[in-house]
Every structure is written in C-alpha cells, then in structure tokens.
C-alpha cells in the first residue's frame, strides 16, 4: 500500500497536488515541497499548479456565494458565527482579508462565500485571489523544501511510532482549533459590547 501511494505521488503528483489544493491545501503543499526536496517535483511547476488549485477552490466558493442562495441559507444557519466574523473582518480590513484568509483556520471557505454574497467586483476578487494563491503556494512549498530533510525524518518517525504520533497530532490540531475558537469568541464578544455601549449612549442622549 505504501509503495502504491509513493508511485502514485511520483507519477501523478501534479494532478494530486492540484486537486488537493482545491479541497484543502497546506498538507498537499508540504508534500509538494518535500518532493521538490527529493527531486521528484520541479519547484516552479509545483508552485504554479498548487496556486492554480487554491485559486480555483476559492473561485468556486465565491460563485457559490453569488449564485446559490438557497444552499447558502442552510450553510449560513450552521456557520452563522463564522459568517459574522468574516463580515466583521471584511468590513474592518477590506481586500487584504482575501490575501490572508488562506491562513485563517476555519474561515478559508467562509470568507470567499461571504464576499460572493456581497456586490464585491468578481474581477477584482479573481485578480487578488490569483496573486494571493500563488504567494501562498510559493511560501509554503519553499519552506517545505528548505526543511525537507526534517519533514522526512518526522514522517519516518511517525511511521514507526504511530502510537505516539497520532495522539500528538490530535493534540496539536485540537490546540489550534481551540485557539482560533477563543479568538473568534473574543472578536464577536467585543463587537457585542460595542453595540451594547452604543445603544446605551443613544438612549442616554
């Protein structure tokens, strides 16, 4: 099974990277950077393919937000807190949010959908999204290439000591999720307090 996966990555690596970048991203880019390190991928091609995948994924979410309002209503209900946070970030920071949303855990799909729901220029979003995706791909793949040897050692250790690696990975991912959840709560709580203070001032006036 392991040899089959390795062969698939060697022969179909760019196709897998493109699809992976549409759906998720970082793990696929780390894989690509490591394969560049081992000589199984070309750096510029890997960056271009990963960037195109990331760009395509966000364009899909943007157009879903713009033209699939019925599906969005259900999605909004399930993720209303994240949409509220995305709206706040867009209102406060504007277009730079498009650039950094790839690094915001839990908001990568929500922010493009939120922008699609607005009257934001589709052309402007596509241009910023394309540049952002290429920069994101370049940074992640180059870093994975530089630390390729260390990544390979970690993977080898995880393969032979999975009983340690799995709980540690779960703890790490759980910690990231908890941290971003706390940040999300703090931002929304501050917004609630500002609205409450504004209402009190208006009543007092």
């Amino acid at each position: 099974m392991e040899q089959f996966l390795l062969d698939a990555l060697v022969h179909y690596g760019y196709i897998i990277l493109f699809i992976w970048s549409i759906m998720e991203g970082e793990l696929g880019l780390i894989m690509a950077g490591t394969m560049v390190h081992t000589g199984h991928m070309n750096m510029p091609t890997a960056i271009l393919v990963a960037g195109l995948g990331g760009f395509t994924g966000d364009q899909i979410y943007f157009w879903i937000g713009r033209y699939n309002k019925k599906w969005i209503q259900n999605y909004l209900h399930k993720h209303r807190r994240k949409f509220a946070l995305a709206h706040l970030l867009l209102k406060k920071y504007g277009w730079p949010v498009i650039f950094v949303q790839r690094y915001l855990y839990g908001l990568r799909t929500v922010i493009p959908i939120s922008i699609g729901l607005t009257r934001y220029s589709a052309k402007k979003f596509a241009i910023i999204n394309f540049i952002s995706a290429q920069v994101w791909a370049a940074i992640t793949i180059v870093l994975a290439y530089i630390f390729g040897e260390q990544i390979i050692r970690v993977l080898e250790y995880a393969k032979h000591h999975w009983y340690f690696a799995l709980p540690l990975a779960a703890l790490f991912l759980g910690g990231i999720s908890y941290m971003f959840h706390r940040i999300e709560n703090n931002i929304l709580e501050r917004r609630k307090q500002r609205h409450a203070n504004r209402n009190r001032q208006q009543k007092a006036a």
Side-chain angles (χ1 to χ4, degrees), residues 98-114:
I98 302 171
F99 232 92
V100 301
Q101 53 93 11
R102 300 174 192 283
Y103 307 96
L104 300 177
Y105 182 83
L107 293 176
R108 184 175 171 183
T109 60
V110 172
I111 287 179
I113 292 173
S114 296

Side-chain angles (χ1 to χ4, degrees), residues 53-64:
F55 167 78
T56 302
D58 284 352
Q59 288 300 123
I60 290 170
Y61 293 127
F62 175 85
W63 291 113
I64 285 174

Side-chain angles (χ1 to χ4, degrees), residues 22-40:
I22 290 175
M23 297 186 299
E24 189 270 333
E26 281 71 25
L27 289 176
L29 268 62
I30 292 170
M31 172 201 76
T34 306
M35 291 186 71
V36 171
H37 179 83
T38 59
H40 291 104

Side-chain angles (χ1 to χ4, degrees), residues 8 60 63 65 80 100 132 135 149 165 198:
I60 290 170
W63 291 113
R80 54 188 179 276
V100 301
S132 164
V135 171
E149 195 61 40
R198 194 177 298 123

Side-chain angles (χ1 to χ4, degrees), residues 4-145:
F4 170 78
L5 290 173
L6 289 173
D7 289 342
L9 288 172
V10 170
H11 291 98
Y12 306 105
Y14 294 113
I15 297 172
I16 294 170
L17 176 61
F18 178 76
I19 296 171
W20 205 334
S21 298
I22 290 175
M23 297 186 299
E24 189 270 333
E26 281 71 25
L27 289 176
L29 268 62
I30 292 170
M31 172 201 76
T34 306
M35 291 186 71
V36 171
H37 179 83
T38 59
H40 291 104
M41 274 190 174
N42 172 267
M43 174 82 79
T45 306
I47 291 172
L48 178 62
V49 169
L52 287 174
F55 167 78
T56 302
D58 284 352
Q59 288 300 123
I60 290 170
Y61 293 127
F62 175 85
W63 291 113
I64 285 174
R66 183 139 296 184
Y67 290 115
N68 201 335
K69 300 291 193 287
K70 187 176 180 181
W71 180 83
I72 289 298
Q73 286 176 356
N74 294 328
Y75 195 77
L76 272 168
H77 181 71
K78 293 177 183 176
H79 301 277
R80 54 188 179 276
R81 287 176 62 83
K82 291 188 182 300
F83 273 96
L85 180 58
H87 177 73
L88 280 174
L89 292 173
L90 285 167
K91 189 175 179 181
K92 186 172 182 179
Y93 299 108
W95 69 264
V97 170
I98 302 171
F99 232 92
V100 301
Q101 53 93 11
R102 300 174 192 283
Y103 307 96
L104 300 177
Y105 182 83
L107 293 176
R108 184 175 171 183
T109 60
V110 172
I111 287 179
I113 292 173
S114 296
I115 297 172
L117 288 168
T118 69
R119 295 175 181 242
Y120 198 88
S121 165
K123 183 179 178 181
K124 185 176 179 181
F125 175 81
I127 293 170
I128 298 172
N129 183 32
F130 179 80
I131 297 170
S132 164
Q134 292 299 328
V135 171
W136 163 75
I139 291 172
T140 311
I141 289 175
V142 168
L143 286 175
Y145 166 76

